[in-house]
Structures are given as structure tokens and as C-alpha cells.
Amino acid sequence: MAKLIPFNLQAARRLLLKTHPYLASAAWAVVPVEVPEMQKKGALGPIGVDNWGRLYFDPAALSRFKIEELSAILYHELWHLLRKHHARAEAMHADPVLANATQDAEINDDIDAEKLPLPAWAVRPKHLGQPDGKLWEEYYAAIESKAQKALDRARANGAGEGSCGSGAAGQAQPWEQGAPAGSGGKEGAPHGIGTAETELIRRQVAESVAQQKGRGDVPAAWARFADEVLTPQVDWRKVLRAQIRRALQDAVGQVDYSYSRPSRRQAGFEGIVLPALRQPVIHPAVVVDTSGSMNQKDLAVALAEVRGVIEAAGLDQGVRVICCDAAAAPTQRVFDARKVQLVGGGGTDMGAGITAACALRPVPEVVIVVTDGATPWPVESPKSRVVVCLVLGEGSGGGEAAAIPAWAGAVVEARV
């Protein structure tokens, strides 16, 4: 079960934040979970992470390390989460043992460059016969064909054997406790950090690094991290359009049989009434955050995305739009996004807008929520599919956003 972090791990965290203050949002967000005898269950060290942002620790093992070493190990585990190692490993269907070893090598040469006291058994590129300064995918490709030989060499050179957890290579370990209770896990399982909240934490860390760069030097690895996170590599508008199209196509594809019209094959079946395939007309809805935390630029983006929904739907009946701050405004049916009347400006509760959208008749197959994320969300999954367009503009409230729940089918970061 979840426990308070022991004193020595608390001290390690405080030491890390003293030298790396921009890691505060990540270091305080991870959920501590005590697991005795972790290393006997396959953990590499006294600490590990899973892909739900939970920080597992073995109290007895912690006592065998100095505070400075624990600080460096904690630093290492946070890097796994912030670099999205588990998602990258899953995307390429990587072997989890080799992925974890090469990910450790990618991280640890950066930590060594800062002259932090990592244990001798921490895997370095040299243990794999590789040079410093490469991505783990590059190390993986270089040694994949001779993986076992490379791992044997690493162990012979003193590198440890074990796993950092599913937060690194994506494969759940025996010492992990499965999905959180609210995300399909067993009752009583410790809560974790969802994908959307993890993305917000990554952005918060990147923004803190960027601010620190303006006041002084930061390690090169962190400067690269901030640039990668804060400089969009993908056109979010294309991503959002793709998500909307996918949601609408899913709804359109839900064909069913109906007796309201005869089948085209009816003429060949005398005395038998055959149903015809019926394809439903879709009725999307858009919830637009008009709270005080949304500035004019954010609202302009919201309107542009309403237009995108209308174009994607290609429907004669227009699109239903609900403006929402702390309460949902009356529904507007629009054929042109420029005709939307933006009402609101108070507090924020996108749950009220989603509830109002799902109460519409006919019920929308998909609800697109355009928000800065600084809002509470419904606890229960809505009856309609939800696509969240998270507006991360200057001055928006997204930096203080509550966690977007796991039932949100897709989250698109709109950086404006």
C-alpha cells in the first residue's frame, strides 16, 4: 500500500531539488509505494518506477546507500518518466531487458557528466561497448543483434542486473501493484499519474528549466529536454483533426440492422422480411471553456477548432456548441464558428459542460472539449466519447491543471 516516504528518501529528494529546483513538479508528483525486498523480486536498485508514475522503494535497501547516492538514483528514475521511456519502448516493441539497459546508459552518462555519485553497478554506455552521448534507441539498434553478449559484458564490468520498472521499459515487474483502482485495477491499489497529467508535469519541468536557463547554467541534457518539449515537433492541429475524424468515423461505422426500410435483397426472399443495414447520422458536440483563465488568444483557438469540427463533420444540421465556465450555457447550434456567442468568464467546471452535452438529444457520439485544463472533471466516464483539446497558451491555466481522467479518449496539446 502507499506509504509516507522514509526520512532518507525525503532527504535525497530535498538534496536533488536543491541542485535541480526545476524538477520539483515531477519529484513531488510521484506516488510513493513501499515494497519490501524489491531486489529479490527483480528490481535493479532500492527504487523503481512504473508507468503510472508510482515510486516504489524498499526501506531496508535504502539504508544501504548514502543520501547523495539515493539522490542520484532518484534523479535517474525521474529521468525515465520524463523521457517517456516506457512509451518509446512499447512503440518499438523493444525487448524490455535490453531496452532498460540501453535506457540506463542513455541517462547515466548525462548524470555522470554532472559528477553525481551513481553506484558503480549503474549501467553506462561503456558497459555495452558504446560511446557516450547517444539516445537509447541508437544503443539498442547497435547491439540488438548481439544483445546477450553486450549484456553479459555489462554484468562482467560490474553493471547491475534487474529492472527499473515499467516506467522504463514498459513491462510490469513482480514488485509492481498493477493499474490504479480508478483505472481498471484492483480495489485498494495505490493511485497513480495518468498520461495527461504526466504530459503536464513534463511541460512544467521543461518551463522551469527554460526559466533556470535565463538565470544561469543548466546541464546540457536538461536544456535539450526543455527545447524538445517546448518546441512542438508535430502540428497539433493535424493531430486534433485526425482524432476528431477517427471519433466521427468510429460513430459512422457503427452500422446496425433496421426494419424501417426494406433490404435491397428483399426481392429474392418471398415471405421473409429482411432488415436493411442502417448507418447512423452522427451528432457531435463541442464544449468550449469560457472561464476567466482562458484569454482571448485561447478563445480564438477554441473557435478555430469549432470550425474544424464543423468541417470534419460535414453535416447539414451544424454542430452543437456549449460554452462553459462554472456552469453550462444554453446550447448553440452553429454552421459557422464565427457565429458562436462566447458567454462566461467566471469559474471553471468542464464537468458541467460535459454533463450538459451528454444530456442533449440525440446524445452526441463524441464530445470535443476545448480547455486550458484548469478544471475539475467528472469522476465517472461519460456516455459519449470525449476528445480533449488542451490549450497551452501563454497565460492560460494549463500549468496548474488538474489531472485529466483516463476515460478521456484522446488528449491533444494545442500550444498557442
Side-chain angles (χ1 to χ4, degrees), residues 243 246-247 366-367 381-382 384-388 404-412:
Q243 292 291 350
R246 184 177 304 153
V366 58
V367 176
S381 173
S384 300
R385 177 174 178 176
V386 175
V387 173
V388 177
I404 296 175
W407 49 251
V411 179
V412 179

PDB file of all heavy atoms in Angstrom, residues 243 246-247 366-367 381-382 384-388 404-412:
ATOM      1  N   GLN A 243      -7.818  13.062 -34.686  1.00  0.00           N
ATOM      2  CA  GLN A 243      -8.574  12.484 -33.573  1.00  0.00           C
ATOM      3  C   GLN A 243     -10.071  12.679 -33.774  1.00  0.00           C
ATOM      4  O   GLN A 243     -10.878  11.777 -33.499  1.00  0.00           O
ATOM      5  CB  GLN A 243      -8.135  13.112 -32.249  1.00  0.00           C
ATOM      6  CG  GLN A 243      -6.727  12.764 -31.811  1.00  0.00           C
ATOM      7  CD  GLN A 243      -6.598  11.308 -31.419  1.00  0.00           C
ATOM      8  OE1 GLN A 243      -7.583  10.591 -31.302  1.00  0.00           O
ATOM      9  NE2 GLN A 243      -5.364  10.856 -31.234  1.00  0.00           N
ATOM     10  N   ARG A 246     -11.259  10.355 -36.498  1.00  0.00           N
ATOM     11  CA  ARG A 246     -11.304   8.980 -36.022  1.00  0.00           C
ATOM     12  C   ARG A 246     -12.546   8.748 -35.163  1.00  0.00           C
ATOM     13  O   ARG A 246     -13.238   7.738 -35.294  1.00  0.00           O
ATOM     14  CB  ARG A 246     -10.044   8.663 -35.212  1.00  0.00           C
ATOM     15  CG  ARG A 246      -9.945   7.221 -34.752  1.00  0.00           C
ATOM     16  CD  ARG A 246      -8.636   6.989 -34.031  1.00  0.00           C
ATOM     17  NE  ARG A 246      -7.511   7.356 -34.876  1.00  0.00           N
ATOM     18  CZ  ARG A 246      -6.332   7.764 -34.418  1.00  0.00           C
ATOM     19  NH1 ARG A 246      -6.136   7.866 -33.119  1.00  0.00           N
ATOM     20  NH2 ARG A 246      -5.356   8.080 -35.237  1.00  0.00           N
ATOM     21  N   ALA A 247     -12.833   9.704 -34.276  1.00  0.00           N
ATOM     22  CA  ALA A 247     -14.001   9.565 -33.413  1.00  0.00           C
ATOM     23  C   ALA A 247     -15.286   9.565 -34.230  1.00  0.00           C
ATOM     24  O   ALA A 247     -16.201   8.767 -33.986  1.00  0.00           O
ATOM     25  CB  ALA A 247     -14.031  10.690 -32.385  1.00  0.00           C
ATOM     26  N   VAL A 366     -19.622  11.914 -29.927  1.00  0.00           N
ATOM     27  CA  VAL A 366     -18.331  12.418 -29.482  1.00  0.00           C
ATOM     28  C   VAL A 366     -18.491  13.845 -28.993  1.00  0.00           C
ATOM     29  O   VAL A 366     -19.222  14.641 -29.587  1.00  0.00           O
ATOM     30  CB  VAL A 366     -17.273  12.340 -30.616  1.00  0.00           C
ATOM     31  CG1 VAL A 366     -17.704  13.130 -31.839  1.00  0.00           C
ATOM     32  CG2 VAL A 366     -15.911  12.841 -30.134  1.00  0.00           C
ATOM     33  N   VAL A 367     -17.831  14.145 -27.867  1.00  0.00           N
ATOM     34  CA  VAL A 367     -17.823  15.496 -27.300  1.00  0.00           C
ATOM     35  C   VAL A 367     -16.395  16.003 -27.332  1.00  0.00           C
ATOM     36  O   VAL A 367     -15.493  15.359 -26.777  1.00  0.00           O
ATOM     37  CB  VAL A 367     -18.356  15.512 -25.852  1.00  0.00           C
ATOM     38  CG1 VAL A 367     -18.248  16.914 -25.261  1.00  0.00           C
ATOM     39  CG2 VAL A 367     -19.795  15.024 -25.795  1.00  0.00           C
ATOM     40  N   SER A 381     -17.036   7.964 -16.075  1.00  0.00           N
ATOM     41  CA  SER A 381     -16.882   8.115 -17.520  1.00  0.00           C
ATOM     42  C   SER A 381     -18.208   8.514 -18.151  1.00  0.00           C
ATOM     43  O   SER A 381     -19.238   7.895 -17.880  1.00  0.00           O
ATOM     44  CB  SER A 381     -16.395   6.796 -18.118  1.00  0.00           C
ATOM     45  OG  SER A 381     -16.395   6.852 -19.522  1.00  0.00           O
ATOM     46  N   PRO A 382     -18.227   9.560 -19.005  1.00  0.00           N
ATOM     47  CA  PRO A 382     -19.468   9.969 -19.662  1.00  0.00           C
ATOM     48  C   PRO A 382     -19.930   8.910 -20.658  1.00  0.00           C
ATOM     49  O   PRO A 382     -19.171   8.036 -21.073  1.00  0.00           O
ATOM     50  CB  PRO A 382     -19.085  11.272 -20.383  1.00  0.00           C
ATOM     51  CG  PRO A 382     -17.772  11.675 -19.818  1.00  0.00           C
ATOM     52  CD  PRO A 382     -17.102  10.433 -19.350  1.00  0.00           C
ATOM     53  N   SER A 384     -20.737   9.535 -23.705  1.00  0.00           N
ATOM     54  CA  SER A 384     -20.187   9.864 -25.019  1.00  0.00           C
ATOM     55  C   SER A 384     -18.663   9.783 -24.983  1.00  0.00           C
ATOM     56  O   SER A 384     -18.040   9.967 -23.933  1.00  0.00           O
ATOM     57  CB  SER A 384     -20.600  11.276 -25.436  1.00  0.00           C
ATOM     58  OG  SER A 384     -21.996  11.400 -25.504  1.00  0.00           O
ATOM     59  N   ARG A 385     -18.067   9.521 -26.127  1.00  0.00           N
ATOM     60  CA  ARG A 385     -16.608   9.575 -26.220  1.00  0.00           C
ATOM     61  C   ARG A 385     -16.167  11.023 -26.089  1.00  0.00           C
ATOM     62  O   ARG A 385     -16.827  11.939 -26.595  1.00  0.00           O
ATOM     63  CB  ARG A 385     -16.151   9.002 -27.561  1.00  0.00           C
ATOM     64  CG  ARG A 385     -14.641   9.091 -27.754  1.00  0.00           C
ATOM     65  CD  ARG A 385     -14.179   8.400 -29.001  1.00  0.00           C
ATOM     66  NE  ARG A 385     -12.747   8.541 -29.185  1.00  0.00           N
ATOM     67  CZ  ARG A 385     -12.064   7.975 -30.156  1.00  0.00           C
ATOM     68  NH1 ARG A 385     -12.677   7.208 -31.038  1.00  0.00           N
ATOM     69  NH2 ARG A 385     -10.769   8.138 -30.256  1.00  0.00           N
ATOM     70  N   VAL A 386     -15.059  11.252 -25.395  1.00  0.00           N
ATOM     71  CA  VAL A 386     -14.567  12.609 -25.153  1.00  0.00           C
ATOM     72  C   VAL A 386     -13.173  12.771 -25.755  1.00  0.00           C
ATOM     73  O   VAL A 386     -12.299  11.932 -25.542  1.00  0.00           O
ATOM     74  CB  VAL A 386     -14.525  12.928 -23.644  1.00  0.00           C
ATOM     75  CG1 VAL A 386     -13.895  14.300 -23.400  1.00  0.00           C
ATOM     76  CG2 VAL A 386     -15.925  12.878 -23.048  1.00  0.00           C
ATOM     77  N   VAL A 387     -12.992  13.837 -26.518  1.00  0.00           N
ATOM     78  CA  VAL A 387     -11.675  14.231 -27.021  1.00  0.00           C
ATOM     79  C   VAL A 387     -11.353  15.579 -26.399  1.00  0.00           C
ATOM     80  O   VAL A 387     -12.128  16.528 -26.528  1.00  0.00           O
ATOM     81  CB  VAL A 387     -11.652  14.339 -28.554  1.00  0.00           C
ATOM     82  CG1 VAL A 387     -10.316  14.915 -29.034  1.00  0.00           C
ATOM     83  CG2 VAL A 387     -11.904  12.982 -29.195  1.00  0.00           C
ATOM     84  N   VAL A 388     -10.237  15.671 -25.686  1.00  0.00           N
ATOM     85  CA  VAL A 388      -9.853  16.910 -25.015  1.00  0.00           C
ATOM     86  C   VAL A 388      -8.783  17.616 -25.845  1.00  0.00           C
ATOM     87  O   VAL A 388      -7.744  17.026 -26.153  1.00  0.00           O
ATOM     88  CB  VAL A 388      -9.314  16.642 -23.600  1.00  0.00           C
ATOM     89  CG1 VAL A 388      -8.842  17.935 -22.947  1.00  0.00           C
ATOM     90  CG2 VAL A 388     -10.379  15.980 -22.742  1.00  0.00           C
ATOM     91  N   ILE A 404      -6.270  15.171 -16.080  1.00  0.00           N
ATOM     92  CA  ILE A 404      -7.346  14.779 -16.982  1.00  0.00           C
ATOM     93  C   ILE A 404      -7.562  13.286 -16.800  1.00  0.00           C
ATOM     94  O   ILE A 404      -6.617  12.509 -16.824  1.00  0.00           O
ATOM     95  CB  ILE A 404      -6.978  15.123 -18.437  1.00  0.00           C
ATOM     96  CG1 ILE A 404      -6.836  16.641 -18.584  1.00  0.00           C
ATOM     97  CG2 ILE A 404      -8.026  14.597 -19.406  1.00  0.00           C
ATOM     98  CD1 ILE A 404      -6.365  17.091 -19.935  1.00  0.00           C
ATOM     99  N   PRO A 405      -8.804  12.843 -16.595  1.00  0.00           N
ATOM    100  CA  PRO A 405      -9.045  11.438 -16.266  1.00  0.00           C
ATOM    101  C   PRO A 405      -8.734  10.490 -17.406  1.00  0.00           C
ATOM    102  O   PRO A 405      -8.684  10.875 -18.581  1.00  0.00           O
ATOM    103  CB  PRO A 405     -10.541  11.412 -15.918  1.00  0.00           C
ATOM    104  CG  PRO A 405     -11.113  12.605 -16.611  1.00  0.00           C
ATOM    105  CD  PRO A 405     -10.031  13.644 -16.616  1.00  0.00           C
ATOM    106  N   ALA A 406      -8.554   9.221 -17.029  1.00  0.00           N
ATOM    107  CA  ALA A 406      -8.166   8.211 -18.015  1.00  0.00           C
ATOM    108  C   ALA A 406      -9.256   7.953 -19.035  1.00  0.00           C
ATOM    109  O   ALA A 406      -8.961   7.486 -20.138  1.00  0.00           O
ATOM    110  CB  ALA A 406      -7.809   6.902 -17.289  1.00  0.00           C
ATOM    111  N   TRP A 407     -10.516   8.261 -18.706  1.00  0.00           N
ATOM    112  CA  TRP A 407     -11.583   7.974 -19.662  1.00  0.00           C
ATOM    113  C   TRP A 407     -11.594   8.931 -20.846  1.00  0.00           C
ATOM    114  O   TRP A 407     -12.299   8.699 -21.815  1.00  0.00           O
ATOM    115  CB  TRP A 407     -12.953   7.945 -18.989  1.00  0.00           C
ATOM    116  CG  TRP A 407     -13.299   9.105 -18.097  1.00  0.00           C
ATOM    117  CD1 TRP A 407     -13.388   9.083 -16.750  1.00  0.00           C
ATOM    118  CD2 TRP A 407     -13.637  10.446 -18.481  1.00  0.00           C
ATOM    119  NE1 TRP A 407     -13.752  10.314 -16.249  1.00  0.00           N
ATOM    120  CE2 TRP A 407     -13.910  11.175 -17.315  1.00  0.00           C
ATOM    121  CE3 TRP A 407     -13.724  11.103 -19.707  1.00  0.00           C
ATOM    122  CZ2 TRP A 407     -14.259  12.513 -17.307  1.00  0.00           C
ATOM    123  CZ3 TRP A 407     -14.085  12.449 -19.723  1.00  0.00           C
ATOM    124  CH2 TRP A 407     -14.339  13.137 -18.545  1.00  0.00           C
ATOM    125  N   ALA A 408     -10.832  10.015 -20.772  1.00  0.00           N
ATOM    126  CA  ALA A 408     -10.744  10.910 -21.932  1.00  0.00           C
ATOM    127  C   ALA A 408     -10.064  10.155 -23.065  1.00  0.00           C
ATOM    128  O   ALA A 408      -8.918   9.736 -22.933  1.00  0.00           O
ATOM    129  CB  ALA A 408      -9.959  12.170 -21.584  1.00  0.00           C
ATOM    130  N   GLY A 409     -10.780   9.949 -24.146  1.00  0.00           N
ATOM    131  CA  GLY A 409     -10.288   9.078 -25.206  1.00  0.00           C
ATOM    132  C   GLY A 409      -9.036   9.579 -25.881  1.00  0.00           C
ATOM    133  O   GLY A 409      -8.233   8.814 -26.367  1.00  0.00           O
ATOM    134  N   ALA A 410      -8.844  10.875 -25.965  1.00  0.00           N
ATOM    135  CA  ALA A 410      -7.652  11.424 -26.599  1.00  0.00           C
ATOM    136  C   ALA A 410      -7.415  12.804 -26.037  1.00  0.00           C
ATOM    137  O   ALA A 410      -8.349  13.552 -25.775  1.00  0.00           O
ATOM    138  CB  ALA A 410      -7.830  11.487 -28.117  1.00  0.00           C
ATOM    139  N   VAL A 411      -6.171  13.137 -25.823  1.00  0.00           N
ATOM    140  CA  VAL A 411      -5.801  14.468 -25.357  1.00  0.00           C
ATOM    141  C   VAL A 411      -4.815  15.051 -26.333  1.00  0.00           C
ATOM    142  O   VAL A 411      -3.769  14.463 -26.602  1.00  0.00           O
ATOM    143  CB  VAL A 411      -5.179  14.411 -23.940  1.00  0.00           C
ATOM    144  CG1 VAL A 411      -4.785  15.811 -23.501  1.00  0.00           C
ATOM    145  CG2 VAL A 411      -6.149  13.801 -22.941  1.00  0.00           C
ATOM    146  N   VAL A 412      -5.153  16.203 -26.896  1.00  0.00           N
ATOM    147  CA  VAL A 412      -4.281  16.853 -27.869  1.00  0.00           C
ATOM    148  C   VAL A 412      -3.793  18.157 -27.260  1.00  0.00           C
ATOM    149  O   VAL A 412      -4.602  18.975 -26.820  1.00  0.00           O
ATOM    150  CB  VAL A 412      -5.030  17.126 -29.190  1.00  0.00           C
ATOM    151  CG1 VAL A 412      -4.110  17.829 -30.172  1.00  0.00           C
ATOM    152  CG2 VAL A 412      -5.549  15.823 -29.783  1.00  0.00           C
TER     153      VAL A 412
END
